[in-house]
């Protein structure tokens, strides 16, 4: 019976969210300090240019989850939870963002208490949502190239790489030299060292278990030796998606797979979307079609890639493109193609900050408005959740049906999306799309709920004489039960509102403790 006892004791880990569990999720990314203020705080005292604390916490996020949940998101990615640099303000500001880690094993009390983080996790799970936590493994923040190691998780000099200036053209240099500069250097942790590997694995096992974390976003993943990641993610027991900051698909694809990470943020596709849709911009639609083809060849699993057009390290879309229709087309691509859609907080409010720190604006001045972009992402989430929960759509592969300089038509499953870079002004252009639909199939555009006829040979014609707007088609009969365009939801389904059922039967440390108690009791009985 020994094997049975051991199996029972390991049961809570087996309930963790796998990569496949994440495939059908959609993620809303939050910088904790900038999402919501506590009651009574001054909403006017947050200037991104000052690079200092504004007051958001784990509790204020928990208290304002309706804004995210009502938009249909099924996961929230939060900024790092570990203790950060606690000294005087640097020339680059304070550690409000959470990425200047000092000791990974200690929680950042700027954002709340142990109970606050557990309450946030529990509330997300009660809503059928996942919790993704950003983690920093590559480095710790310093104020000189000879830092006092006593303040860090790792305190021995051998557990760090010696200081050197990084050469971004050299892989070894990228792994072993220090990010940052001599003003705020980021001391590079020696992740080849056995004591470091063991300590990090122990820490991530504990963190995931204690706070019922469902997934990890890994900062600066390409600056860590790639063979570190399989053991680390196995110790975590949850989905791992890494940041590989590069537009080169070869560089990025090397970090996805059984000898690396489950997934990566799809920077190459982001670059292609910028090339295809920004106004003004190259408007190079072939860059997008080429990237779709390359992705299928290079990546191990396109369905797990993280799709985005904004995050804390790049300019806001509205900073790059003046026409809102370009935003809508790029957003729809991320929802309706292969991969996991990720929306960075404020994208739906039309924020226009450039690079750090201007792209880390507070959300509350927006009033959490029900903007056109918010409505669009809510519709796309509801539609995608419906497809994920009732069909095999998420496991199908995106196909390019046709493209011109002005537009691209893609299909995935039984859905056809036609996206454009024409922009809002009227344009004397059309695009004929040869679809897999039989002639006279009644289609519906789920964005406007407009019916659309299919002509001979499955052709649909998109006319931009009134301006370039994206369209998303599905046969009308296949929209039954979605709750969209006047169709009722499936009332007896757990997915009636688009909600996804949690993967866990027990949440949080209390649930895990109960599982262990039951397992140990059975073991004592059999022994």
């Amino acid at each position: 019976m020994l094997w049975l006892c051991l199996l029972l004791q390991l049961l809570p880990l087996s309930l963790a969210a796998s990569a496949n569990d994440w495939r059908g999720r959609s993620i809303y990314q939050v910088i904790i300090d900038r999402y919501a203020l506590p009651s009574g705080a001054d909403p006017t005292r947050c200037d991104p240019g000052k690079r200092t604390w504004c007051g958001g916490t784990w509790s204020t996020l928990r208290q304002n989850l309706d804004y995210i949940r009502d938009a249909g998101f099924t996961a929230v990615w939060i900024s790092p939870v570990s203790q950060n640099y606690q000294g005087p303000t640097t020339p680059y500001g304070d550690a409000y963002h959470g990425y200047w880690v000092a000791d990974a094993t200690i929680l950042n009390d700027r954002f709340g208490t142990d109970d606050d983080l557990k309450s946030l996790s529990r509330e997300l799970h009660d809503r059928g949502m996942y919790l993704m936590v950003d983690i920093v493994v590559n480095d710790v923040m310093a104020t000189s190239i000879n830092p006092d190691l006593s303040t860090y998780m790792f305190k021995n000099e051998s557990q760090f790489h010696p200081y050197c200036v990084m050469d971004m053209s050299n892989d070894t240099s990228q792994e072993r030299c220090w990010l940052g500069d001599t003003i705020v250097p980021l001391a590079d942790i020696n992740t080849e060292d056995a004591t470091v590997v063991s300590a990090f694995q122990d820490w991530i096992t504990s963190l995931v278990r204690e706070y019922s974390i469902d997934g990890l976003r890994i900062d600066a993943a390409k600056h860590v030796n790639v063979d570190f990641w399989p053991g680390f993610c196995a110790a975590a027991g949850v989905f791992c998606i890494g940041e590989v900051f590069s537009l080169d698909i070869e560089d990025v694809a090397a970090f996805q797979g059984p000898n690396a990470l489950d997934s990566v943020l799809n920077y190459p596709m982001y670059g292609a979307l910028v090339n295809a849709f920004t106004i003004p911009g190259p408007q190079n639609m072939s860059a997008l079609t080429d990237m779709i083809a390359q992705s299928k060849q290079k990546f191990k699993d396109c369905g797990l890639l993280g799709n985005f057009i904004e995050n804390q390290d790049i300019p806001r879309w509205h900073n790059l493109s003046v026409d809102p229709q370009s935003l809508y087309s790029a957003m729809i691509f991320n929802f309706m193609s292969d991969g996991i859609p990720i929306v960075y907080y404020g994208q739906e409010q039309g924020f226009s900050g450039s690079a750090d720190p201007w792209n880390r604006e507070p959300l509350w001045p927006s009033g959490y408005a029900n903007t056109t972009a918010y409505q669009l992402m809510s519709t796309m989430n509801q539609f995608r959740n419906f497809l994920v929960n009732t069909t095999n759509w998420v496991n199908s592969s995106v196909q390019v049906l046709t493209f011109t300089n002005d537009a691209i038509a893609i299909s995935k499953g039984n859905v056809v999306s036609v996206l454009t870079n024409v922009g809002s002004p009227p344009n004397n252009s059309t695009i004929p799309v040869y679809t897999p639909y039989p002639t006279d199939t009644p289609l519906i555009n789920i964005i406007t709920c407009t019916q659309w006829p299919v002509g001979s040979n499955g052709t649909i014609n998109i006319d931009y004489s009134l301006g370039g707007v994206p369209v998303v088609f599905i046969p009308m009969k296949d929209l039954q039960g979605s709750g969209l365009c006047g169709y009722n939801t499936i009332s007896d389904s757990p997915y009636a509102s688009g909600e996804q059922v949690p993967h866990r039967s027990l949440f949080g440390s209390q649930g895990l403790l109960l599982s262990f108690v039951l397992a140990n009791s059975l073991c004592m009985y059999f022994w």
Side-chain angles (χ1 to χ4, degrees):
M1 287 296 178
L2 177 59
W3 66 270
L4 178 59
C5 297
L6 293 174
L7 180 63
L8 288 169
Q9 289 176 319
L10 289 173
L11 181 60
L13 295 180
S14 71
L15 297 176
S18 68
N20 202 51
D21 292 323
W22 277 89
R23 191 181 301 275
R25 296 275 154 171
S26 61
I27 303 171
Y28 190 81
Q29 180 194 353
V30 168
I31 291 181
I32 288 293
D33 185 65
R34 302 297 163 89
Y35 178 74
L37 283 176
S39 178
D42 185 348
T44 66
R45 296 183 60 187
C46 186
D47 179 355
K50 293 183 177 178
R51 303 186 182 191
T52 193
W53 308 95
C54 290
T57 66
W58 297 319
S59 290
T60 60
L61 171 58
R62 176 180 56 80
Q63 292 159 4
N64 292 275
L65 281 176
D66 284 351
Y67 175 78
I68 302 173
R69 186 64 191 90
D70 289 350
F73 288 97
T74 51
V76 176
W77 154 16
I78 65 172
S79 46
V81 300
S82 295
Q83 183 193 74
N84 272 222
Y85 164 76
Q86 295 183 308
T89 299
T90 76
Y92 301 148
D94 296 310
Y96 68 90
H97 41 70
Y99 291 94
W100 286 352
V101 170
D103 190 334
T105 65
I106 302 173
L107 287 184
N108 191 334
D109 59 10
R110 280 279 189 172
F111 300 141
T113 66
D114 176 89
D115 286 341
D116 292 338
L117 185 53
K118 289 177 180 175
S119 294
L120 171 60
S121 178
R122 186 164 49 249
E123 181 68 23
L124 284 166
H125 292 144
D126 286 348
R127 292 168 178 256
M129 302 169 75
Y130 282 1
L131 172 62
M132 175 175 283
V133 172
D134 212 322
I135 61 160
V136 180
V137 167
N138 178 67
D139 51 59
V140 291
M141 184 271 196
T143 54
S144 79
I145 59 173
N146 296 295
D148 175 10
L149 302 184
S150 66
T151 61
Y152 299 138
M153 174 182 176
F154 299 108
K155 307 183 188 303
N156 297 324
E157 191 172 339
S158 64
Q159 294 173 312
F160 293 86
H161 290 130
Y163 174 77
C164 55
V165 177
M166 187 173 295
D167 176 0
M168 294 299 288
S169 66
N170 183 283
D171 289 345
T172 301
S173 178
Q174 287 191 67
E175 290 179 6
R176 299 190 176 188
C177 291
W178 294 22
L179 290 168
D181 54 24
T182 55
I183 299 172
V184 178
L186 302 178
D188 200 78
I189 297 172
N190 181 4
T191 47
E192 297 94 349
D193 182 274
T195 64
V196 169
V197 172
S198 176
F200 266 140
Q201 290 182 4
D202 290 345
W203 162 67
I204 200 61
T205 299
S206 175
L207 184 78
V208 167
R209 177 178 294 166
E210 185 68 15
Y211 300 103
S212 297
I213 295 167
D214 306 293
L216 303 174
R217 182 270 185 183
I218 298 169
D219 190 60
K222 77 171 184 176
H223 296 288
V224 175
N225 48 301
V226 70
D227 58 348
F228 172 86
W229 295 122
F232 180 85
C233 292
V238 295
F239 177 64
C240 289
I241 183 170
E243 177 204 25
V244 182
F245 200 121
S246 173
L247 299 182
D248 188 307
I249 194 168
E250 297 278 359
D251 289 348
V252 179
F255 281 82
Q256 187 192 32
N259 297 318
L261 297 163
D262 295 318
S263 177
V264 287
L265 296 171
N266 199 346
Y267 271 95
M269 190 63 77
Y270 161 74
L273 290 170
V274 170
N275 280 331
F277 290 118
T278 51
I279 302 172
Q283 297 192 293
N284 181 5
M285 200 63 75
S286 64
L288 182 56
T289 61
D290 289 348
M291 187 55 64
I292 293 171
Q294 288 186 59
S295 296
K296 292 182 179 185
Q297 295 175 357
K298 305 293 185 182
F299 285 112
K300 302 295 189 300
D301 189 339
C302 292
L304 294 176
L305 300 175
N307 298 339
F308 66 93
I309 55 172
E310 291 186 5
N311 64 38
Q312 78 281 6
D313 293 321
I314 56 177
R316 297 281 191 174
W317 185 269
H318 190 49
N319 184 268
L320 302 175
S321 185
V322 299
D323 195 301
Q325 294 298 338
S326 73
L327 169 67
Y328 306 152
S329 280
M331 285 177 65
I332 290 171
F333 180 88
N334 283 346
F335 277 92
M336 289 290 101
S337 62
D338 298 339
I340 303 168
I342 302 171
V343 172
Y344 181 50
Y345 83 99
Q347 176 181 311
E348 72 284 359
Q349 296 296 336
F351 285 3
S352 58
S354 56
D356 170 16
W358 308 107
N359 56 359
R360 302 173 180 185
E361 310 97 310
L363 184 57
W364 47 88
S366 72
Y368 307 91
N370 186 23
T371 63
T372 301
Y374 182 90
Q375 294 171 28
L376 176 64
M377 71 182 187
S378 301
T379 297
M380 298 315 300
N381 265 323
Q382 185 174 352
F383 185 50
R384 187 175 185 274
N385 290 340
F386 167 71
L387 295 171
V388 167
N389 293 323
T390 61
T391 73
N392 196 43
W393 175 88
V394 76
N395 293 311
S396 61
S397 179
V398 70
Q399 306 294 327
V400 176
L401 298 178
T402 190
F403 74 98
T404 67
N405 292 333
D406 298 327
I408 181 173
I410 59 173
S411 67
K412 183 176 171 73
N414 59 342
V415 179
V416 170
S417 304
V418 188
L419 314 171
T420 178
N421 58 21
V422 164
S424 300
N427 184 284
N428 186 27
S429 65
T430 61
I431 178 172
V433 180
Y434 295 94
T435 74
Y437 307 130
T439 301
D440 295 330
T441 300
L443 303 180
I444 190 164
N445 174 11
I446 63 102
I447 300 172
T448 62
C449 298
T450 304
Q451 295 184 33
W452 213 278
V454 175
S456 61
N457 300 316
T459 306
I460 55 176
N461 287 291
I462 312 300
D463 178 7
Y464 296 126
S465 61
L466 297 179
V469 297
V471 292
V472 179
F473 296 117
I474 189 172
M476 292 179 66
K477 66 180 179 59
D478 295 338
L479 204 58
Q480 294 283 353
S482 68
L484 291 165
C485 298
Y487 288 96
N488 293 327
T489 56
I490 303 171
S491 59
D492 58 350
S493 167
Y495 308 113
S497 64
E499 179 176 338
Q500 297 194 356
V501 172
H503 68 279
R504 300 173 188 269
S505 59
L506 295 169
F507 297 119
S509 58
Q510 292 179 338
L512 290 169
L513 178 60
L514 176 59
S515 296
F516 279 116
V517 168
L518 291 172
N520 286 329
S521 297
L522 285 171
C523 290
M524 291 176 64
Y525 174 80
F526 285 119
W527 280 336

